[in-house]
Amino acid sequence: MPARWTAPRKLALLSLFVGMANVPDWPLPFWGHHRYDISHSIIANALLVGLAIAGMLFWRRGRDHMGGAAVVVFAGVTWLSHILLDSLYNHSRGVAAFWPISGAHLNLALPWFETLPQGGPFAQSAGRVFSIEAAFFGSLILLSVAARWALLKNRGRSKHP
Ligand SMILES: [Zn+2]
Protein backbone atom coordinates (compact mmCIF):
# COMPACT_ATOMS: atom_id res chain seq x y z
CA MET A 1 0.00 0.00 0.00
CA PRO A 2 1.51 3.34 -0.97
CA ALA A 3 2.95 4.94 2.19
CA ARG A 4 2.07 8.44 0.97
CA TRP A 5 -1.66 7.69 0.98
CA THR A 6 -3.93 9.27 3.58
CA ALA A 7 -5.54 7.09 6.25
CA PRO A 8 -9.03 7.27 4.66
CA ARG A 9 -7.62 6.20 1.30
CA LYS A 10 -5.77 3.29 2.94
CA LEU A 11 -9.00 2.33 4.71
CA ALA A 12 -10.81 2.42 1.36
CA LEU A 13 -8.18 0.12 -0.14
CA LEU A 14 -8.42 -2.27 2.82
CA SER A 15 -12.20 -2.32 2.31
CA LEU A 16 -11.61 -3.16 -1.35
CA PHE A 17 -9.37 -6.06 -0.31
CA VAL A 18 -12.10 -7.34 2.04
CA GLY A 19 -14.60 -7.09 -0.82
CA MET A 20 -12.23 -8.89 -3.20
CA ALA A 21 -11.66 -11.66 -0.65
CA ASN A 22 -15.41 -12.30 -0.68
CA VAL A 23 -15.97 -12.34 -4.46
CA PRO A 24 -16.62 -16.11 -4.49
CA ASP A 25 -19.56 -15.60 -2.10
CA TRP A 26 -21.13 -12.67 -4.00
CA PRO A 27 -24.79 -13.50 -4.76
CA LEU A 28 -24.60 -13.17 -8.55
CA PRO A 29 -26.32 -15.27 -11.22
CA PHE A 30 -24.44 -18.58 -11.70
CA TRP A 31 -22.19 -17.65 -8.82
CA GLY A 32 -21.97 -17.56 -5.01
CA HIS A 33 -23.57 -20.22 -2.86
CA HIS A 34 -26.10 -21.09 -5.60
CA ARG A 35 -23.25 -22.40 -7.78
CA TYR A 36 -20.67 -23.32 -5.19
CA ASP A 37 -18.93 -25.61 -7.69
CA ILE A 38 -18.16 -22.72 -10.02
CA SER A 39 -17.76 -19.86 -7.56
CA HIS A 40 -15.37 -21.78 -5.30
CA SER A 41 -13.29 -23.41 -8.04
CA ILE A 42 -9.68 -22.29 -7.92
CA ILE A 43 -9.59 -22.79 -11.68
CA ALA A 44 -12.61 -20.57 -12.40
CA ASN A 45 -11.41 -17.94 -9.92
CA ALA A 46 -7.81 -18.01 -11.18
CA LEU A 47 -9.13 -17.42 -14.70
CA LEU A 48 -11.27 -14.48 -13.57
CA VAL A 49 -8.49 -13.07 -11.39
CA GLY A 50 -6.05 -13.35 -14.28
CA LEU A 51 -8.45 -11.50 -16.56
CA ALA A 52 -9.11 -8.83 -13.93
CA ILE A 53 -5.40 -8.33 -13.21
CA ALA A 54 -4.54 -8.22 -16.91
CA GLY A 55 -7.30 -5.65 -17.48
CA MET A 56 -6.11 -3.51 -14.59
CA LEU A 57 -2.48 -3.73 -15.66
CA PHE A 58 -3.41 -2.50 -19.15
CA TRP A 59 -5.73 0.20 -17.78
CA ARG A 60 -3.01 2.50 -16.51
CA ARG A 61 -5.29 5.12 -14.93
CA GLY A 62 -7.17 2.49 -12.92
CA ARG A 63 -3.99 0.72 -11.90
CA ASP A 64 -2.32 3.94 -10.78
CA HIS A 65 -5.47 5.04 -8.93
CA MET A 66 -5.44 1.72 -7.11
CA GLY A 67 -1.82 2.18 -6.02
CA GLY A 68 0.16 0.37 -8.70
CA ALA A 69 0.69 -3.09 -10.13
CA ALA A 70 1.69 -4.68 -6.80
CA VAL A 71 -1.56 -3.56 -5.19
CA VAL A 72 -3.57 -4.90 -8.15
CA VAL A 73 -1.84 -8.29 -7.90
CA PHE A 74 -2.35 -8.37 -4.12
CA ALA A 75 -6.07 -7.71 -4.63
CA GLY A 76 -6.10 -10.81 -6.85
CA VAL A 77 -4.33 -12.79 -4.13
CA THR A 78 -6.96 -11.71 -1.58
CA TRP A 79 -9.67 -12.91 -4.00
CA LEU A 80 -8.02 -16.34 -4.37
CA SER A 81 -7.42 -16.64 -0.62
CA HIS A 82 -11.17 -17.19 -0.21
CA ILE A 83 -10.91 -20.73 -1.55
CA LEU A 84 -8.17 -21.70 0.88
CA LEU A 85 -9.90 -20.07 3.84
CA ASP A 86 -13.24 -21.77 3.06
CA SER A 87 -11.43 -25.12 3.14
CA LEU A 88 -10.62 -24.48 6.83
CA TYR A 89 -14.23 -24.84 8.06
CA ASN A 90 -14.84 -27.76 10.38
CA HIS A 91 -17.84 -29.24 8.53
CA SER A 92 -15.27 -31.47 6.78
CA ARG A 93 -16.97 -31.18 3.38
CA GLY A 94 -14.15 -29.01 2.09
CA VAL A 95 -14.33 -27.03 -1.12
CA ALA A 96 -14.68 -28.50 -4.62
CA ALA A 97 -11.76 -26.34 -5.58
CA PHE A 98 -10.78 -28.13 -8.77
CA TRP A 99 -14.03 -27.93 -10.77
CA PRO A 100 -14.35 -28.74 -13.71
CA ILE A 101 -11.19 -30.87 -13.85
CA SER A 102 -11.78 -32.91 -10.70
CA GLY A 103 -14.49 -33.48 -8.13
CA ALA A 104 -11.89 -33.72 -5.36
CA HIS A 105 -12.48 -31.51 -2.35
CA LEU A 106 -9.84 -29.39 -0.66
CA ASN A 107 -10.43 -30.04 3.04
CA LEU A 108 -8.06 -28.47 5.56
CA ALA A 109 -10.62 -28.38 8.39
CA LEU A 110 -9.61 -26.72 11.62
CA PRO A 111 -11.82 -27.65 14.59
CA TRP A 112 -12.47 -24.08 15.75
CA PHE A 113 -13.79 -22.70 12.42
CA GLU A 114 -17.57 -23.12 12.21
CA THR A 115 -19.89 -21.97 9.46
CA LEU A 116 -22.97 -19.92 10.18
CA PRO A 117 -26.15 -22.00 10.34
CA GLN A 118 -28.30 -21.81 7.21
CA GLY A 119 -31.85 -20.75 8.06
CA GLY A 120 -31.23 -21.25 11.77
CA PRO A 121 -30.76 -18.95 14.73
CA PHE A 122 -28.24 -16.66 13.05
CA ALA A 123 -27.82 -14.18 15.89
CA GLN A 124 -27.09 -16.79 18.55
CA SER A 125 -24.01 -18.27 16.95
CA ALA A 126 -22.89 -15.44 14.66
CA GLY A 127 -21.14 -13.56 17.44
CA ARG A 128 -19.16 -16.62 18.48
CA VAL A 129 -18.28 -17.56 14.87
CA PHE A 130 -17.15 -14.04 14.01
CA SER A 131 -15.23 -13.67 17.30
CA ILE A 132 -13.27 -16.87 16.69
CA GLU A 133 -12.40 -15.79 13.14
CA ALA A 134 -11.47 -12.28 14.29
CA ALA A 135 -9.25 -13.67 17.05
CA PHE A 136 -7.50 -16.14 14.73
CA PHE A 137 -7.02 -13.88 11.73
CA GLY A 138 -6.48 -10.79 13.90
CA SER A 139 -3.59 -12.63 15.56
CA LEU A 140 -2.10 -13.33 12.12
CA ILE A 141 -2.43 -9.66 11.20
CA LEU A 142 -0.79 -8.54 14.45
CA LEU A 143 2.00 -11.06 13.89
CA SER A 144 2.53 -9.71 10.36
CA VAL A 145 2.59 -6.12 11.59
CA ALA A 146 5.08 -7.05 14.34
CA ALA A 147 7.28 -8.90 11.84
CA ARG A 148 7.21 -5.92 9.46
CA TRP A 149 7.97 -3.53 12.31
CA ALA A 150 10.93 -5.68 13.40
CA LEU A 151 12.17 -5.96 9.82
CA LEU A 152 12.02 -2.19 9.28
CA LYS A 153 13.71 -1.61 12.64
CA ASN A 154 16.56 -3.97 11.72
CA ARG A 155 16.86 -2.40 8.28
CA GLY A 156 17.20 1.00 9.95
CA ARG A 157 19.96 -0.34 12.20
CA SER A 158 21.95 -1.79 9.30
CA LYS A 159 21.92 1.59 7.52
CA HIS A 160 23.24 3.39 10.60
CA PRO A 161 25.74 1.10 12.37
ZN1 LIG B 1 -17.16 -19.03 0.32
Side-chain angles (χ1 to χ4, degrees):
M1 189 176 300
R4 66 185 185 284
W5 281 15
T6 61
R9 193 166 182 198
K10 287 179 179 177
L11 189 61
L13 188 59
L14 286 174
S15 300
L16 174 72
F17 288 160
V18 170
M20 296 301 288
N22 286 293
V23 168
D25 281 348
W26 286 2
L28 301 171
F30 307 104
W31 195 255
H33 284 249
H34 298 292
R35 290 303 309 261
Y36 207 74
D37 53 342
I38 300 172
S39 67
H40 285 66
S41 161
I42 192 76
I43 296 163
N45 281 282
L47 182 67
L48 293 172
V49 165
L51 289 171
I53 287 175
M56 287 299 290
L57 292 180
F58 282 111
W59 182 36
R60 183 178 178 171
R61 186 167 177 231
R63 181 191 65 221
D64 290 348
H65 184 72
M66 204 170 151
V71 175
V72 169
V73 171
F74 188 76
V77 171
T78 63
W79 178 342
L80 293 174
S81 73
H82 186 101
I83 312 303
L84 177 65
L85 298 178
D86 267 10
S87 75
L88 301 178
Y89 285 114
N90 68 0
H91 52 53
S92 296
R93 290 191 303 267
V95 178
F98 310 104
W99 180 91
I101 293 173
S102 168
H105 285 221
L106 179 64
N107 183 8
L108 304 170
L110 294 174
W112 54 86
F113 282 132
E114 298 174 30
T115 55
L116 292 172
Q118 300 292 318
F122 178 81
Q124 289 180 354
S125 60
R128 184 169 45 84
V129 168
F130 289 137
S131 296
I132 290 170
E133 290 187 9
F136 183 81
F137 293 115
S139 299
L140 292 180
I141 291 170
L142 289 176
L143 192 64
S144 300
V145 169
R148 183 173 188 270
W149 180 80
L151 183 71
L152 291 175
K153 188 176 177 185
N154 275 348
R155 194 179 290 167
R157 277 195 194 136
S158 65
K159 284 182 182 175
H160 308 288

